[in-house]
Amino acid sequence: MTLSVADSAPQRPAGRRRSLAPGLGALPLRRLRWRGAATVAVLLLAWEGASRTGLLPAASMPPASQVLSAWAAFAADAAFWTAVGYTLSSALTGLGLVVLVAVPLALAIGLSRAVRESTWFIIEFLKPIPPVAMIPLGLLLWGPSETMKLALIAFGALWPFLTQMVYGIGQVDHVALDMARSYRLRGWLTASRVVVPGLLPFAATGLRVSASIALVVSVVTELIGGAAGLGREIVIAQSAGNLPGMYALILTTGVLGLLINGAFAAAERPLLFWHPSQRKDTQA
Amino acid sequence: MQQSIIETRTGDAPAGEAVVELVDLRKSYGTGPSAVQILDGVNFEVRRGEFVCVVGPSGSGKTTLLKCIAGLLKPSGGRTDFEGQEVTEPPAKLAVVFQDYSRSLLPWMTVRANIALPLRNKFPKQERQARIDEALESVGLAGKGHLYPWQMSGGMQQRAAIARGLAYQPDVLLMDEPFAAVDAQTRIDLEDLVLEVRDRYDTTVLFVTHDIDEAVYLADRVIVLSGAPTTVSHNITVDLPHPRHQVDTKREPRFAELRAFVFEQIQAAKSNTVRNRADA
Ligand SMILES: Nc1ncnc2c1ncn2[C@@H]1O[C@H](COP(=O)(O)OP(=O)(O)OP(=O)(O)O)[C@@H](O)[C@H]1O
Ligand SMILES: [Mg+2]
């Protein structure tokens, strides 16, 4: 194997022959929707009841109905959408940075033993550092700014994508490469038709995990570091004693996470239709 | 004994132009004290239009040999020539059908696109389509080009890999145990298919196999490799009439003789290998 950048063994996005235990993305969507919606409804009702009967202290946990109406009020509030925009655009820009950094880095690590050996220690050292622990450093360097935010998002979200890419490069099929060489395929044809499609499943898995982390770090830097976005709005709502608003904002971050995951899953389907995890194995 | 009725050639150059020629080919893996000599001076040639089968014990270096001929591996000594030129990179007029069809066909492309890939930059689009259709037809996959490899059975996938080699219209087709992973009935079908398309495309074939029956049935000549470190132990002309027939050919006493002879040589090579390993 090449470099193991992950603490756990790198996730295999399923080799050609083996298919992954289905993740949430692979469950039949309709069943997922029905059962999921029912569970949410039951939880909301339980929350409402617990809060009204005093089982939950109403002072720290207002009833669900209040939170939902605060949420509905946000929908017409431009400041709310601005905050959503800040959080989301930082997360996505940070993710873009991750791709820009990780692709050449993974190529260098995957293809050169010298690079692999000289970067192994530093990567294994940096990887377990939680991005939250870097906030003080970020604030010292850039203050509560967009730059600070992006730097920390990129730092936190880099590893899953990088790990998957390095692993994927190590898994490029030697038989397929021999085939390409024996037919004297030009370099760009080998790259675009043989190597890159084989890397896509790894890239997709890594990108999806990195996107979730990017969103989390985005909110955390706002919450602790004071950069503009949903995280800062949560702090403001809390200090103003606007608890329904605070919970509505927290729910918003969860919904954003779901949407990002869903968007990536939807984008994967047409690209990875051939992959054992996506296709229905029907033999002609 | 059997030597008297089996013509084995060691050295006397046959008539006809040699398209592939191995001259004292050596290959070892690894370096320094951990180096292992696999091929230890292999000499034989394949003439134009010939169907040559290579048999040898498992691990004797058949795949290694094929990769050297295909320009995918650099020999550590001696050389292989293709059409009179020393092989330093994969020759343009040579195609390889790999044993592992499920990995040599790209799952993200239809069978048609897989076959088309090596033809890009080689033929104009119009001719490409015609060649693909013809190749698909000759392996019995006409109208199946729109399928993805994973929508096909193992036998169909191997046919698709053969079609890719045929559409490329190489002078020489190298096949590395192409039927090892398919069932017996499919194997018989594919054997006859290969003989048929060989005649149709007039291709020279170098075919590696484990199966002695298969080797004698298909070949004009069988090369028997000794156990590692490997050399050519026998070079046997198969003087069975053409066209071959699964029942009639295999019923001929001559077939049985040849088959038994090759079998004995491989057994001898195997026990040699065991002895060599024990000595080491
Ligand atoms: N890349 C490699 N590095 C080191 N040793 C290798 C390598 N490839 C093959 N070998 C060794 O060389 C020997 C011959 O391998 P090869 O695959 O050529 O045998 P083969 O005759 O094709 O065997 P089989 O009939 O099982 O396919 C084996 O002992 C194998 O372990
Ligand atoms: Mg082999």
Side-chain angles (χ1 to χ4, degrees):
Chain A
M1 237 288 289
T2 45
L3 170 73
S4 159
V5 199
D7 302 314
S8 52
Q11 277 174 278
R12 188 188 173 85
R16 292 235 187 117
R17 238 158 264 109
R18 222 187 306 169
S19 89
L20 261 193
L24 271 186
L27 286 178
L29 209 59
R30 210 183 299 142
R31 227 173 63 203
L32 201 68
R33 276 205 203 114
W34 267 106
R35 304 233 160 118
T39 310
V40 169
V42 167
L43 279 178
L44 284 176
L45 282 176
W47 174 7
E48 182 76 19
S51 189
R52 287 201 185 279
T53 56
L55 210 65
L56 280 172
S60 58
M61 196 82 203
S65 54
Q66 283 182 31
V67 172
L68 290 182
S69 66
W71 211 3
F74 276 146
D77 183 349
F80 168 79
W81 290 111
T82 313
V84 168
Y86 276 129
T87 301
L88 206 55
S89 68
S90 305
L92 292 179
T93 312
L95 200 60
L97 285 177
V98 164
V99 172
L100 284 183
V101 172
V103 168
L105 191 57
L107 279 175
I109 292 174
L111 298 181
S112 153
R113 198 174 152 164
V115 175
R116 182 156 61 241
E117 283 170 359
S118 52
T119 54
W120 183 85
F121 178 78
I122 188 84
I123 287 178
E124 290 303 314
F125 170 76
L126 289 175
K127 216 169 43 176
I129 299 179
V132 186
M134 302 290 269
I135 290 181
L137 176 64
L139 284 175
L140 272 178
L141 285 175
W142 300 294
S145 62
E146 181 73 12
T147 313
M148 179 274 291
K149 220 174 147 184
L150 288 180
L152 291 186
I153 292 171
F155 173 80
L158 176 64
W159 315 117
F161 185 67
L162 180 66
T163 306
Q164 282 295 314
M165 288 301 282
V166 170
Y167 185 62
I169 288 168
Q171 295 289 306
V172 170
D173 201 306
H174 290 275
V175 177
L177 283 182
D178 271 352
M179 182 277 294
R181 218 146 63 81
S182 74
Y183 284 116
R184 301 159 63 97
L185 294 193
R186 301 248 170 96
W188 68 270
L189 263 186
T190 305
S192 65
R193 306 300 147 102
V194 181
V195 178
V196 169
L199 282 176
L200 277 183
F202 296 91
T205 306
L207 207 58
R208 196 132 51 95
V209 179
S210 284
S212 303
I213 295 179
L215 184 68
V216 169
V217 179
S218 180
V219 172
V220 165
T221 52
E222 296 155 3
L223 216 131
I224 300 178
L230 282 173
R232 198 174 68 182
E233 298 302 316
I234 290 174
V235 176
I236 293 173
Q238 186 200 15
S239 52
N242 175 12
L243 288 191
M246 182 186 86
Y247 284 112
L249 290 165
I250 292 173
L251 292 180
T252 306
T253 61
V255 169
L256 283 185
L258 265 181
L259 287 179
I260 287 190
N261 225 307
F264 275 99
E268 275 171 32
R269 227 161 286 139
L271 281 176
L272 301 181
F273 67 94
W274 52 270
H275 195 267
S277 69
Q278 300 274 342
R279 73 193 188 210
K280 298 183 184 70
D281 272 292
T282 45
Q283 292 222 331
Chain B
M1 40 163 266
Q2 250 149 344
Q3 242 91 349
S4 58
I5 50 164
I6 308 285
E7 179 205 349
T8 79
R9 299 193 339 258
T10 47
D12 56 326
E17 176 202 1
V19 263
V20 173
E21 193 168 6
L22 280 61
V23 184
D24 200 29
L25 180 68
R26 289 160 197 279
K27 178 70 193 174
S28 52
Y29 287 113
T31 49
S34 65
V36 191
Q37 186 83 23
I38 304 295
L39 302 179
D40 196 21
V42 175
N43 292 284
F44 68 86
E45 77 297 290
V46 181
R47 282 167 289 153
R48 196 170 293 285
E50 250 190 327
F51 198 123
V52 175
C53 282
V54 175
V55 294
S58 185
S60 56
K62 301 183 293 296
T63 298
T64 305
L65 184 78
L66 226 59
K67 282 188 173 174
C68 288
I69 298 171
L72 295 171
L73 269 182
K74 201 172 167 319
S76 27
R79 58 170 218 275
T80 79
D81 288 355
F82 184 83
E83 298 187 335
Q85 294 247 313
E86 180 165 354
V87 172
T88 51
E89 57 167 10
K93 298 196 158 178
L94 181 147
V96 187
V97 175
F98 294 90
Q99 170 172 359
D100 204 342
Y101 50 79
S102 63
R103 288 165 67 194
S104 85
L105 292 171
L106 305 172
W108 43 85
M109 288 182 182
T110 62
V111 161
R112 230 192 146 74
N114 265 288
I115 299 173
L117 188 61
L119 308 183
R120 297 168 66 108
N121 312 323
K122 208 180 163 203
F123 304 109
K125 190 163 178 150
Q126 203 69 34
E127 193 183 341
R128 232 151 54 204
Q129 298 308 325
R131 274 168 187 266
I132 296 170
D133 285 329
E134 189 187 347
L136 281 173
E137 199 244 39
S138 63
V139 299
L141 286 180
K144 303 277 188 199
H146 64 284
L147 294 177
Y148 288 89
W150 39 271
Q151 294 173 314
M152 294 181 145
S153 69
M156 287 166 81
Q157 289 180 44
Q158 191 55 287
R159 277 172 219 238
I162 294 170
R164 177 173 56 191
L166 292 175
Y168 191 71
Q169 296 202 355
D171 289 355
V172 176
L173 192 60
L174 303 183
M175 304 179 93
D176 189 3
E177 300 192 38
F179 309 146
V182 298
D183 63 89
Q185 184 55 50
T186 309
R187 185 180 195 129
I188 286 174
D189 293 345
L190 289 176
E191 283 168 9
D192 288 333
L193 175 91
V194 166
L195 285 179
E196 213 179 283
V197 297
R198 190 276 290 254
D199 289 340
R200 175 164 176 177
Y201 283 88
D202 218 2
T203 314
T204 307
V205 182
L206 183 61
F207 188 106
V208 166
T209 175
H210 260 120
D211 188 316
I212 297 162
D213 278 43
E214 182 168 88
V216 175
Y217 178 70
L218 291 175
D220 302 320
R221 212 139 50 79
V222 176
I223 309 277
V224 183
L225 299 180
S226 69
T230 295
T231 55
V232 174
S233 87
H234 287 85
N235 193 332
I236 301 157
T237 302
V238 178
D239 45 9
L240 292 166
H242 285 279
R244 306 277 161 87
H245 185 277
Q246 287 286 355
V247 176
D248 297 346
T249 302
K250 289 183 178 173
R251 210 161 33 201
E252 288 200 27
R254 187 64 183 155
F255 180 87
E257 264 170 30
L258 286 162
R259 192 190 165 285
F261 182 74
V262 174
F263 181 77
E264 277 166 19
Q265 301 321 313
I266 291 182
Q267 288 306 109
K270 262 190 205 160
S271 56
N272 259 334
T273 311
V274 172
R275 215 175 306 133
N276 288 347
R277 295 229 169 102
D279 291 347

